[in-house]
Amino acid sequence: MTSAHLLAAGPVKLRAQSLHGFPERHVHQVVGCSNQQRNSTLRWGRKPASKVQAISEEVVGSVAGNGTQNGNGTVSTTVPIEQSTLSVHAGESGGRCKVSDSLTTPICCTSTYYFQDTAELIAYQEGRYGSYEYGRYGNPTTRVVEEKLRELEGAEDCLVSSSGMNSATTMLLALVPAGGHIITTTDCYRRTRQFIQTVLPKMGVTATVLDPSDMGALEQALEEHDNTSVYFSESPTNPYLRCVDVPTIARLCHAKNTPICIDGTFATPINQRAIDLGADLVLHSGTKYLAGHNDVLCGALCGRSDLVAQVRAMHNVLGGTIDPHAAYLMLRGMKTLGLRVEHQNKTALEIAKRLEAHPKIDRVHYPGLPSHPDHAIAKEQMKGFGGVVSFEVKGDLWTTAKFVDSVRIPYIAPSLGGVETLIEQPTVISYWDQGPEKRAAYGIKDNLIRYSCGIEDIENLWDDIAQALDKI
């Protein structure tokens, strides 16, 4: 297909993609080669091969003999093609093969994209030709991930980035203007709180911090701050697993034209689809359950196309771009998301029940338990309650640390949602630099433990927990 054909084809939107998830330019079918797809323009004066060929003397000879083709279509044969030139262009410039029947999505490892001629570039700039321009603005592999997560969340659009924090900070910078206002909740990830309390105030942005269940305080905050740009909360929250009433929050916020962003990292779209409940945006640290193997950093934002477009524009400036390899790992992880989360849901619920009955445990925080303050909300909004259990040991900081040191299966590490079970004492791993007074102000208790269930056998995990509790 020539650029003239592309121009005649009319508008092609970037989101219009083939069955294999690549934009239109990347799926030109090679005649006589049903198993291969490649760009059709030949820059070396060779006809497309009917099958994949290794670079041989015959191929190299034909390239060198025919000379190079410049942008105007003329061929120069006055200067022989040298090895240094061939090492850069041979086998590729005549059309890069795209294997159309590969079961897995290819990793598109490129920092930039080329155009056949100026007419094609202008068509792209005017939205009449679907492709990419530069790696920071998009990638075919990454776009497949975005489409998969978009459908999982029931969203209009999705933007994947280099980390969950990048997704959160870029969203806030894009949607909250200088002098704006944010409403958020008390229980949240420390770095999110740090950004809201220390970075955004430099732009004149203020924040109201509410108890997750206080709808009266939310209503009052919306009345007092008519410049509220966004309501932002996790659900479930970190580390106490509080669940916010999304439909009620949506009703109150939308009456004031305030968009809602729910961080669904702990829930995943398997357990909760916040957009169906009324949220405008859903944010994920894809590092956790979505990728699910503790081997990649990634983040994502799904939701209304107009809001995602604003965030994407800021993202293109700030440059928190996910690497194509990381995007592929995220894509691979999501294929088993349902299986993993189902197992982790069951494991966490059973462990939470057993811990609640254990004499050496003071309190268990898990939304699947009737004792949890937001159990009724969780039952209404969630299909499963997640793989994280937080609990308080009867004892002080060092008694709790002894329990952590006594377990054998979990790794002492931050993060959650992966196939390996992880354990942490938030006081030590996340808030050690804050001191007792600040930790108390944040509600972080010295005897608190966050236990993230992996996919190990539940009886092995419980036997390990029981023997560790016996040692304190």
Side-chain angles (χ1 to χ4, degrees), residues 87-107:
S87 66
V88 174
H89 296 288
E92 294 182 289
S93 191
R96 290 158 174 80
C97 290
K98 305 292 180 183
V99 181
S100 62
D101 55 3
S102 170
L103 183 63
T104 57
T105 298
I107 302 173

PDB file of all heavy atoms in Angstrom, residues 87-107:
ATOM      1  N   SER A  87      25.457  -2.863   7.281  1.00  0.00           N
ATOM      2  CA  SER A  87      25.257  -3.323   8.652  1.00  0.00           C
ATOM      3  C   SER A  87      24.130  -2.567   9.341  1.00  0.00           C
ATOM      4  O   SER A  87      23.490  -3.079  10.259  1.00  0.00           O
ATOM      5  CB  SER A  87      26.554  -3.183   9.458  1.00  0.00           C
ATOM      6  OG  SER A  87      26.901  -1.811   9.621  1.00  0.00           O
ATOM      7  N   VAL A  88      23.879  -1.344   8.893  1.00  0.00           N
ATOM      8  CA  VAL A  88      22.786  -0.555   9.461  1.00  0.00           C
ATOM      9  C   VAL A  88      21.453  -0.883   8.797  1.00  0.00           C
ATOM     10  O   VAL A  88      20.423  -1.052   9.463  1.00  0.00           O
ATOM     11  CB  VAL A  88      23.076   0.955   9.322  1.00  0.00           C
ATOM     12  CG1 VAL A  88      21.859   1.774   9.790  1.00  0.00           C
ATOM     13  CG2 VAL A  88      24.311   1.350  10.105  1.00  0.00           C
ATOM     14  N   HIS A  89      21.422  -1.019   7.466  1.00  0.00           N
ATOM     15  CA  HIS A  89      20.158  -1.041   6.737  1.00  0.00           C
ATOM     16  C   HIS A  89      19.762  -2.386   6.120  1.00  0.00           C
ATOM     17  O   HIS A  89      18.568  -2.613   5.896  1.00  0.00           O
ATOM     18  CB  HIS A  89      20.196   0.006   5.617  1.00  0.00           C
ATOM     19  CG  HIS A  89      20.303   1.406   6.110  1.00  0.00           C
ATOM     20  ND1 HIS A  89      19.262   2.063   6.722  1.00  0.00           N
ATOM     21  CD2 HIS A  89      21.353   2.278   6.108  1.00  0.00           C
ATOM     22  CE1 HIS A  89      19.647   3.280   7.056  1.00  0.00           C
ATOM     23  NE2 HIS A  89      20.917   3.444   6.701  1.00  0.00           N
ATOM     24  N   ALA A  90      20.710  -3.253   5.803  1.00  0.00           N
ATOM     25  CA  ALA A  90      20.372  -4.480   5.082  1.00  0.00           C
ATOM     26  C   ALA A  90      19.393  -5.344   5.866  1.00  0.00           C
ATOM     27  O   ALA A  90      19.513  -5.491   7.077  1.00  0.00           O
ATOM     28  CB  ALA A  90      21.644  -5.272   4.775  1.00  0.00           C
ATOM     29  N   GLY A  91      18.429  -5.897   5.177  1.00  0.00           N
ATOM     30  CA  GLY A  91      17.443  -6.769   5.801  1.00  0.00           C
ATOM     31  C   GLY A  91      16.311  -6.049   6.484  1.00  0.00           C
ATOM     32  O   GLY A  91      15.333  -6.678   6.897  1.00  0.00           O
ATOM     33  N   GLU A  92      16.422  -4.732   6.646  1.00  0.00           N
ATOM     34  CA  GLU A  92      15.392  -3.974   7.362  1.00  0.00           C
ATOM     35  C   GLU A  92      14.781  -2.870   6.513  1.00  0.00           C
ATOM     36  O   GLU A  92      13.570  -2.674   6.518  1.00  0.00           O
ATOM     37  CB  GLU A  92      15.988  -3.348   8.627  1.00  0.00           C
ATOM     38  CG  GLU A  92      16.426  -4.347   9.667  1.00  0.00           C
ATOM     39  CD  GLU A  92      16.954  -3.652  10.898  1.00  0.00           C
ATOM     40  OE1 GLU A  92      18.060  -3.069  10.835  1.00  0.00           O
ATOM     41  OE2 GLU A  92      16.258  -3.691  11.931  1.00  0.00           O
ATOM     42  N   SER A  93      15.610  -2.121   5.789  1.00  0.00           N
ATOM     43  CA  SER A  93      15.092  -0.960   5.095  1.00  0.00           C
ATOM     44  C   SER A  93      14.117  -1.318   3.990  1.00  0.00           C
ATOM     45  O   SER A  93      13.274  -0.514   3.618  1.00  0.00           O
ATOM     46  CB  SER A  93      16.253  -0.148   4.513  1.00  0.00           C
ATOM     47  OG  SER A  93      15.795   1.097   4.054  1.00  0.00           O
ATOM     48  N   GLY A  94      14.194  -2.555   3.481  1.00  0.00           N
ATOM     49  CA  GLY A  94      13.248  -2.983   2.460  1.00  0.00           C
ATOM     50  C   GLY A  94      11.905  -3.379   3.021  1.00  0.00           C
ATOM     51  O   GLY A  94      11.005  -3.754   2.284  1.00  0.00           O
ATOM     52  N   GLY A  95      11.734  -3.299   4.326  1.00  0.00           N
ATOM     53  CA  GLY A  95      10.465  -3.667   4.945  1.00  0.00           C
ATOM     54  C   GLY A  95      10.690  -4.609   6.095  1.00  0.00           C
ATOM     55  O   GLY A  95      11.222  -5.693   5.938  1.00  0.00           O
ATOM     56  N   ARG A  96      10.314  -4.187   7.282  1.00  0.00           N
ATOM     57  CA  ARG A  96      10.544  -4.985   8.474  1.00  0.00           C
ATOM     58  C   ARG A  96       9.432  -6.010   8.638  1.00  0.00           C
ATOM     59  O   ARG A  96       8.263  -5.658   8.669  1.00  0.00           O
ATOM     60  CB  ARG A  96      10.636  -4.087   9.691  1.00  0.00           C
ATOM     61  CG  ARG A  96      11.914  -3.251   9.706  1.00  0.00           C
ATOM     62  CD  ARG A  96      11.746  -2.022  10.580  1.00  0.00           C
ATOM     63  NE  ARG A  96      12.996  -1.289  10.704  1.00  0.00           N
ATOM     64  CZ  ARG A  96      13.481  -0.456   9.786  1.00  0.00           C
ATOM     65  NH1 ARG A  96      12.811  -0.281   8.661  1.00  0.00           N
ATOM     66  NH2 ARG A  96      14.616   0.175   9.973  1.00  0.00           N
ATOM     67  N   CYS A  97       9.789  -7.259   8.756  1.00  0.00           N
ATOM     68  CA  CYS A  97       8.779  -8.324   8.856  1.00  0.00           C
ATOM     69  C   CYS A  97       8.023  -8.223  10.174  1.00  0.00           C
ATOM     70  O   CYS A  97       8.605  -7.999  11.229  1.00  0.00           O
ATOM     71  CB  CYS A  97       9.437  -9.697   8.746  1.00  0.00           C
ATOM     72  SG  CYS A  97      10.044 -10.048   7.089  1.00  0.00           S
ATOM     73  N   LYS A  98       6.729  -8.410  10.106  1.00  0.00           N
ATOM     74  CA  LYS A  98       5.862  -8.484  11.275  1.00  0.00           C
ATOM     75  C   LYS A  98       5.147  -9.826  11.224  1.00  0.00           C
ATOM     76  O   LYS A  98       4.347 -10.067  10.333  1.00  0.00           O
ATOM     77  CB  LYS A  98       4.831  -7.345  11.285  1.00  0.00           C
ATOM     78  CG  LYS A  98       5.445  -5.956  11.189  1.00  0.00           C
ATOM     79  CD  LYS A  98       6.231  -5.596  12.431  1.00  0.00           C
ATOM     80  CE  LYS A  98       6.822  -4.199  12.301  1.00  0.00           C
ATOM     81  NZ  LYS A  98       7.662  -3.850  13.459  1.00  0.00           N
ATOM     82  N   VAL A  99       5.434 -10.694  12.179  1.00  0.00           N
ATOM     83  CA  VAL A  99       4.849 -12.035  12.147  1.00  0.00           C
ATOM     84  C   VAL A  99       3.410 -11.960  12.622  1.00  0.00           C
ATOM     85  O   VAL A  99       3.134 -11.746  13.795  1.00  0.00           O
ATOM     86  CB  VAL A  99       5.670 -13.001  13.031  1.00  0.00           C
ATOM     87  CG1 VAL A  99       5.073 -14.397  12.974  1.00  0.00           C
ATOM     88  CG2 VAL A  99       7.122 -13.028  12.571  1.00  0.00           C
ATOM     89  N   SER A 100       2.481 -12.147  11.696  1.00  0.00           N
ATOM     90  CA  SER A 100       1.072 -11.928  12.008  1.00  0.00           C
ATOM     91  C   SER A 100       0.449 -13.078  12.782  1.00  0.00           C
ATOM     92  O   SER A 100      -0.567 -12.906  13.435  1.00  0.00           O
ATOM     93  CB  SER A 100       0.276 -11.718  10.711  1.00  0.00           C
ATOM     94  OG  SER A 100       0.355 -12.866   9.892  1.00  0.00           O
ATOM     95  N   ASP A 101       1.044 -14.279  12.709  1.00  0.00           N
ATOM     96  CA  ASP A 101       0.435 -15.405  13.409  1.00  0.00           C
ATOM     97  C   ASP A 101       1.185 -15.772  14.678  1.00  0.00           C
ATOM     98  O   ASP A 101       1.038 -16.868  15.202  1.00  0.00           O
ATOM     99  CB  ASP A 101       0.328 -16.621  12.473  1.00  0.00           C
ATOM    100  CG  ASP A 101       1.674 -17.006  11.854  1.00  0.00           C
ATOM    101  OD1 ASP A 101       2.687 -16.366  12.192  1.00  0.00           O
ATOM    102  OD2 ASP A 101       1.685 -17.934  11.027  1.00  0.00           O
ATOM    103  N   SER A 102       2.001 -14.843  15.204  1.00  0.00           N
ATOM    104  CA  SER A 102       2.640 -15.059  16.502  1.00  0.00           C
ATOM    105  C   SER A 102       1.570 -15.089  17.582  1.00  0.00           C
ATOM    106  O   SER A 102       0.715 -14.206  17.648  1.00  0.00           O
ATOM    107  CB  SER A 102       3.626 -13.922  16.783  1.00  0.00           C
ATOM    108  OG  SER A 102       4.092 -13.987  18.117  1.00  0.00           O
ATOM    109  N   LEU A 103       1.608 -16.094  18.433  1.00  0.00           N
ATOM    110  CA  LEU A 103       0.604 -16.216  19.479  1.00  0.00           C
ATOM    111  C   LEU A 103       0.734 -15.098  20.504  1.00  0.00           C
ATOM    112  O   LEU A 103      -0.262 -14.591  21.018  1.00  0.00           O
ATOM    113  CB  LEU A 103       0.732 -17.579  20.171  1.00  0.00           C
ATOM    114  CG  LEU A 103      -0.302 -17.880  21.256  1.00  0.00           C
ATOM    115  CD1 LEU A 103      -1.704 -17.913  20.670  1.00  0.00           C
ATOM    116  CD2 LEU A 103       0.016 -19.200  21.940  1.00  0.00           C
ATOM    117  N   THR A 104       1.961 -14.714  20.804  1.00  0.00           N
ATOM    118  CA  THR A 104       2.182 -13.646  21.772  1.00  0.00           C
ATOM    119  C   THR A 104       2.405 -12.321  21.046  1.00  0.00           C
ATOM    120  O   THR A 104       2.853 -12.290  19.906  1.00  0.00           O
ATOM    121  CB  THR A 104       3.403 -13.937  22.654  1.00  0.00           C
ATOM    122  OG1 THR A 104       4.549 -14.128  21.815  1.00  0.00           O
ATOM    123  CG2 THR A 104       3.169 -15.182  23.494  1.00  0.00           C
ATOM    124  N   THR A 105       2.085 -11.237  21.733  1.00  0.00           N
ATOM    125  CA  THR A 105       2.266  -9.909  21.159  1.00  0.00           C
ATOM    126  C   THR A 105       3.749  -9.580  21.063  1.00  0.00           C
ATOM    127  O   THR A 105       4.469  -9.699  22.056  1.00  0.00           O
ATOM    128  CB  THR A 105       1.563  -8.858  22.036  1.00  0.00           C
ATOM    129  OG1 THR A 105       0.158  -9.132  22.052  1.00  0.00           O
ATOM    130  CG2 THR A 105       1.787  -7.454  21.511  1.00  0.00           C
ATOM    131  N   PRO A 106       4.229  -9.169  19.894  1.00  0.00           N
ATOM    132  CA  PRO A 106       5.650  -8.829  19.756  1.00  0.00           C
ATOM    133  C   PRO A 106       6.035  -7.619  20.610  1.00  0.00           C
ATOM    134  O   PRO A 106       5.206  -6.736  20.873  1.00  0.00           O
ATOM    135  CB  PRO A 106       5.802  -8.500  18.266  1.00  0.00           C
ATOM    136  CG  PRO A 106       4.618  -9.126  17.610  1.00  0.00           C
ATOM    137  CD  PRO A 106       3.519  -9.085  18.615  1.00  0.00           C
ATOM    138  N   ILE A 107       7.274  -7.607  21.058  1.00  0.00           N
ATOM    139  CA  ILE A 107       7.820  -6.447  21.763  1.00  0.00           C
ATOM    140  C   ILE A 107       8.380  -5.496  20.714  1.00  0.00           C
ATOM    141  O   ILE A 107       9.349  -5.819  20.029  1.00  0.00           O
ATOM    142  CB  ILE A 107       8.912  -6.854  22.761  1.00  0.00           C
ATOM    143  CG1 ILE A 107       8.361  -7.846  23.785  1.00  0.00           C
ATOM    144  CG2 ILE A 107       9.484  -5.623  23.458  1.00  0.00           C
ATOM    145  CD1 ILE A 107       9.415  -8.432  24.698  1.00  0.00           C
TER     146      ILE A 107
END
